[in-house]
Amino acid sequence: MEMEEHFYVFRSQPYYRIVVYALMAEDLIETHSVFSHTLVSVSIGYFIYDFFDMIFNQKINQSWELLFHHMVVITCFGLSVLTHLYVGFAVVALMVEINSIFLHLRQMLRMANMAERVLYRVNSMVNLGTYVAFRISTLAWMTRWLVLNRERIPLLSYTVGSVGLAIVTVMTIVLFCRLLRTDFLKSSREKENKKDKET
């Protein structure tokens, strides 16, 4: 009998998860699963670790933007984890980090002096595509959601969320312009100059 109960509980888990995730998609404020809460909590741990790693191993003038970004994210995610509210919204925000794979690969390729290789060019294109798809689009959607749900959110939480989102959005736009200039506009100008020298 006990084995049948465990089997039933085990078999119902996927259905439970589907229901919870469907409810979470409808209610990003109060509904969340244990997994999503854990995901946001672990992410805070990563941002705290990365924050202190940058403080101890990099010059502040080179990493102040990322340090500021991490403080904003730790504050917003911390509010979510401590209050058990907005966990769904924080999970949506984590979609932005999908692009980080290609941003970090780009940095590693530059450090390895591989900026002239085909792999770097391919990564630059994928990086730009995922930047638009996961960073810019997600932040735009989050801004829209925050505005549409203003009346459901207490003033303090709305202020923290709005200010945090505004800061991250500005930083995202600045980084996007830098990526365009460095990986696309600069290489186009270099090719034109090279052609001019040959003629």
Side-chain angles (χ1 to χ4, degrees):
M1 186 74 170
E2 189 175 329
M3 188 148 172
E4 287 177 2
E5 288 173 12
H6 286 292
F7 180 73
Y8 175 73
V9 169
F10 176 75
R11 294 266 310 182
S12 66
Q13 281 298 310
Y15 304 110
Y16 167 76
R17 288 185 181 166
I18 289 169
V19 168
V20 168
Y21 293 130
L23 291 173
M24 204 165 88
E26 290 178 17
D27 178 17
L28 296 178
I29 297 174
E30 294 180 2
T31 305
H32 66 275
S33 64
V34 172
F35 175 77
S36 57
H37 190 268
T38 303
L39 177 64
V40 176
S41 300
V42 169
S43 297
I44 293 171
Y46 163 76
F47 284 112
I48 291 170
Y49 169 81
D50 201 41
F51 180 86
F52 283 108
D53 183 58
M54 284 186 283
I55 285 178
F56 294 128
N57 298 312
Q58 292 183 10
K59 295 178 181 171
I60 299 294
N61 64 343
Q62 293 176 336
S63 60
W64 71 268
E65 291 170 324
L66 270 177
L67 290 170
F68 190 57
H69 167 270
H70 283 23
M71 287 190 308
V72 169
V73 171
I74 291 165
T75 301
C76 293
F77 282 16
L79 175 70
S80 173
V81 166
L82 292 174
T83 62
H84 288 264
L85 297 171
Y86 317 106
V87 174
F89 192 71
V91 169
V92 171
L94 283 171
M95 288 180 58
V96 166
E97 296 304 321
I98 292 170
N99 170 254
S100 293
I101 298 164
F102 305 103
L103 273 174
H104 290 311
L105 179 57
R106 175 188 179 274
Q107 187 175 9
M108 288 189 298
L109 291 170
R110 289 177 69 87
M111 289 167 56
N113 294 320
M114 296 177 67
E116 300 299 320
R117 303 247 175 116
V118 173
L119 178 60
Y120 184 86
R121 298 300 306 154
V122 169
N123 183 69
S124 293
M125 289 184 266
V126 173
N127 184 33
L128 199 65
T130 58
Y131 203 95
V132 171
F134 291 103
R135 281 192 188 270
I136 294 173
S137 297
T138 300
L139 291 172
W141 184 90
M142 290 172 67
T143 302
R144 179 183 176 277
W145 184 90
L146 206 56
V147 169
L148 292 176
N149 290 280
R150 166 62 192 103
E151 71 282 347
R152 297 178 57 204
I153 304 169
L155 182 60
L156 177 63
S157 299
Y158 184 78
T159 303
V160 170
S162 296
V163 170
L165 194 55
I167 290 167
V168 171
T169 300
V170 168
M171 294 174 83
T172 297
I173 292 167
V174 169
L175 180 57
F176 184 73
C177 292
R178 287 180 187 163
L179 288 171
L180 274 177
R181 187 181 65 238
T182 305
D183 289 355
F184 294 96
L185 302 179
K186 184 178 176 184
S187 62
S188 298
R189 271 189 262 126
E190 286 174 356
K191 286 178 186 175
E192 286 177 20
N193 290 341
K194 197 174 188 181
K195 284 180 186 178
D196 289 343
K197 286 179 184 178
E198 290 173 0
T199 56

